[in-house]
Amino acid sequence: MHHFNYKNDVLHCEDVPIPEIAAAVGTPFYCYSAATLRRHFQVFDGAFSLPHLTCFAVKACSNIAILRLFARLGGGMDIVSGGELYRALAAGVPAERIVYSGVGKTRRELHEALEAGILQFNVESAQELETLAQEARALGVRAPVALRVNPNVDPKTHAYISTGLAKNKFGIPEEEALELYRRAAEMEHIRVQGVSCHIGSQLTQLSPFVEALDKMVAFVERLRQAGINVSWLDLGGGLGITYDQEEPPPPADYAEALARGLAGLDCRLILEPGRVIVGNAGILVCSTLYTKRGGKHFIIVDAAMNDLARPSLYDAFHCVQAVKGPERRRVRADLVGPICETGDFLARDQDLPDLAPGELVAVMSAGAYGFSMASNYNSRPRAAEVLVDGARFAVIRKRETYEDLVRGETIPDFLAQS
Ligand code: LLP
């Protein structure tokens, strides 16, 4: 369900025609629908009747306008870096609704998050716990902690985005975790309050979630038997979306399956959804530059792998649509960008609309891990981001300029003389 629809054969985001935005801001740009973002957040959050906090995974889409939108709906944030903490606070998210995950939090990042007073640190190793305790002591505070347990569950998704298998770098194996909880419980500057896990992303089945949940519930019970009481259970994110033919479970089924597994546990739940909230709430709009119809058909556009890395990185599928005149001849072709790499494609061997130079193109389902993974490769200024709300739209991130590209770079004195 989203608000990108054709009216009179022209793609609109809510009530705004895409060509109107393109004329105002140029291409390429990301376009997000506020109505879709709100709806997805509310459907997800509203599916849980248990006491819970929905912490949006900032990495999926980090623009502060979008974080603000979720904060206004009562959302918290799941962060994985000091930069994401900065963004969440800049967006006005209360610190007591922020949870911090990740295997490599630096001392400085831990310090900043302690100073901010966040809800929970999801600690992923004994050494991190020790560092956190030292920083908490220096600040004279107690750090609220959950250990991230690696439940060794196969999420049945792309290998690069599986995180809950023993061979993945994430979390702590159960046996070690139990021992570490015992130690943590005795540390003066650590307050043990929860357990966390996250098994992967773009999951399209419920069974791995349920398997992980069952293991976590059993683990919480073991902890309690050992005299360690926890009141928060963080189950991470990972619910998938439809890019093509996938049929992921709707949030209501996901919530129901979790509620069943949690019955009687007496824990507040933390959820860290990213993709399911923003994935289908954003598109990447670009313009066709040229076409090549030799042996193979290429449609060359002004967006590239630096703007949307997912196809190159994960061989991910994104549906490609003509912004004007959707019903047209289709051709088997690649949609490629200007970057000097064969791996630079947005669509490969797909039946694409037969686009001519100058035409606008929409790459769908680009709201999650789209702009947030963009880079300046080939010295390409990053695209603009636009938020539509009803009949209004606003640029929520300006297109970068050439000056932005070299900001912070200097030519040292020893090279300055000719
Ligand atoms: N919580 C933690 C600890 C995570 O590592 C992640 C995602 C999430 C929550 C949110 O997962 P989601 O609900 O969005 O599936 N760049 C990849 C996805 C990487 C996901 C990393 N972790 C992609 O474009 O498919």
Side-chain angles (χ1 to χ4, degrees):
M1 160 70 196
H2 59 69
H3 294 77
F4 296 96
N5 294 307
Y6 286 90
K7 293 178 197 162
N8 299 323
D9 277 356
V10 175
L11 185 64
H12 284 57
C13 178
E14 304 188 24
D15 299 329
V16 183
I18 295 294
E20 193 180 310
I21 306 174
V25 308
T27 56
F29 65 93
Y30 276 88
C31 177
Y32 308 100
S33 153
T36 312
L37 292 166
R38 284 192 198 100
R39 186 187 145 83
H40 286 181
F41 184 90
Q42 285 167 331
V43 165
F44 185 94
D45 191 54
F48 292 87
S49 46
L50 313 156
H52 70 282
L53 181 62
T54 300
C55 291
F56 173 68
V58 173
K59 65 173 84 67
C61 188
S62 334
N63 189 292
I64 58 172
I66 288 174
L67 304 186
R68 168 67 68 92
L69 183 148
F70 296 139
R72 283 176 59 165
L73 299 174
M77 300 289 146
D78 161 47
I79 59 163
V80 292
S81 69
E84 288 190 352
L85 174 64
Y86 182 83
R87 284 183 174 279
L89 296 175
V93 180
E96 60 273 16
R97 285 197 235 143
I98 296 175
V99 297
Y100 192 172
S101 313
V103 290
K105 307 178 190 81
T106 65
R107 192 176 279 280
R108 175 181 164 184
E109 288 174 322
L110 293 170
H111 183 94
E112 288 164 356
L114 281 168
E115 256 185 347
I118 65 166
L119 171 63
Q120 180 165 295
F121 292 83
N122 292 340
V123 170
E124 304 213 18
S125 66
Q127 290 171 10
E128 182 193 333
L129 183 69
E130 190 53 49
T131 310
L132 179 61
Q134 287 167 8
E135 288 306 310
R137 177 176 304 119
L139 281 169
V141 296
R142 286 184 90 198
V145 160
L147 295 188
R148 176 162 169 187
V149 175
N150 182 325
N152 195 19
V153 166
D154 184 357
K156 304 191 180 84
T157 181
H158 191 287
Y160 288 7
I161 52 178
S162 296
T163 52
L165 283 166
K167 65 178 177 187
N168 303 138
K169 69 178 174 181
F170 298 98
I172 306 168
E174 258 183 64
E175 285 314 310
E176 274 176 50
L178 192 62
E179 193 40 49
L180 197 55
Y181 267 106
R182 286 207 178 92
R183 272 169 50 202
E186 311 213 310
M187 294 168 110
E188 194 186 334
H189 290 278
I190 296 292
R191 180 162 46 80
V192 171
Q193 68 172 34
V195 176
S196 83
C197 77
H198 168 78
I199 58 172
S201 195
Q202 183 55 12
L203 272 70
T204 53
Q205 296 170 35
L206 281 179
S207 52
F209 286 119
V210 172
E211 199 185 324
L213 172 70
D214 289 348
K215 289 190 171 181
M216 289 302 104
V217 168
F219 186 74
V220 167
E221 279 158 1
R222 274 178 84 186
L223 281 181
R224 287 180 177 164
Q225 277 158 20
I228 298 166
N229 199 13
V230 290
S231 53
W232 287 97
L233 180 56
D234 181 342
L235 290 173
L239 189 58
I241 64 168
T242 302
Y243 286 98
D244 188 11
Q245 307 288 328
E246 306 91 332
E247 290 182 357
D253 294 4
Y254 171 71
E256 194 193 311
L258 297 189
R260 218 177 299 133
L262 281 166
L265 191 70
D266 191 26
C267 264
R268 278 173 290 176
L269 202 54
I270 294 173
L271 300 147
E272 302 173 355
R275 190 189 317 264
V276 68
I277 311 276
V278 291
N280 281 318
I283 64 173
L284 172 62
V285 181
C286 51
S287 300
T288 310
L289 298 172
Y290 308 108
T291 58
K292 286 198 195 185
R293 296 162 194 262
K296 185 165 179 178
H297 192 142
F298 293 100
I299 300 168
I300 303 160
V301 293
D302 62 0
M305 66 189 282
N306 73 297
D307 300 298
L308 180 64
R310 304 193 70 257
S312 305
L313 207 50
Y314 317 111
D315 221 359
F317 173 92
H318 286 264
C319 180
V320 173
Q321 296 177 194
V323 167
K324 288 185 189 170
E327 303 302 330
R328 65 168 76 191
R329 201 168 77 95
R330 300 214 145 233
V331 289
R332 169 90 6 167
D334 288 9
L335 191 80
V336 301
I339 284 185
C340 302
E341 292 211 25
T342 299
D344 176 31
F345 57 86
L346 298 175
R348 200 160 52 160
D349 286 326
Q350 275 185 41
D351 288 324
L352 300 177
D354 193 3
L355 291 150
E359 285 198 279
L360 291 171
V361 191
V363 181
M364 307 303 288
S365 310
Y369 308 104
F371 188 89
S372 65
M373 291 177 73
S375 78
N376 290 121
Y377 188 40
N378 275 209
S379 288
R380 292 169 49 80
R382 279 181 294 172
E385 290 180 288
V386 172
L387 181 65
V388 172
D389 194 2
R392 296 175 296 186
F393 72 88
V395 174
I396 55 172
R397 194 180 207 275
K398 285 193 289 201
R399 182 181 310 290
E400 286 180 339
T401 63
Y402 292 147
E403 291 74 38
D404 291 331
L405 291 179
V406 294
R407 177 155 303 128
E409 296 182 20
T410 43
I411 297 173
D413 285 348
F414 56 82
L415 288 180
Q417 281 88 31
S418 56

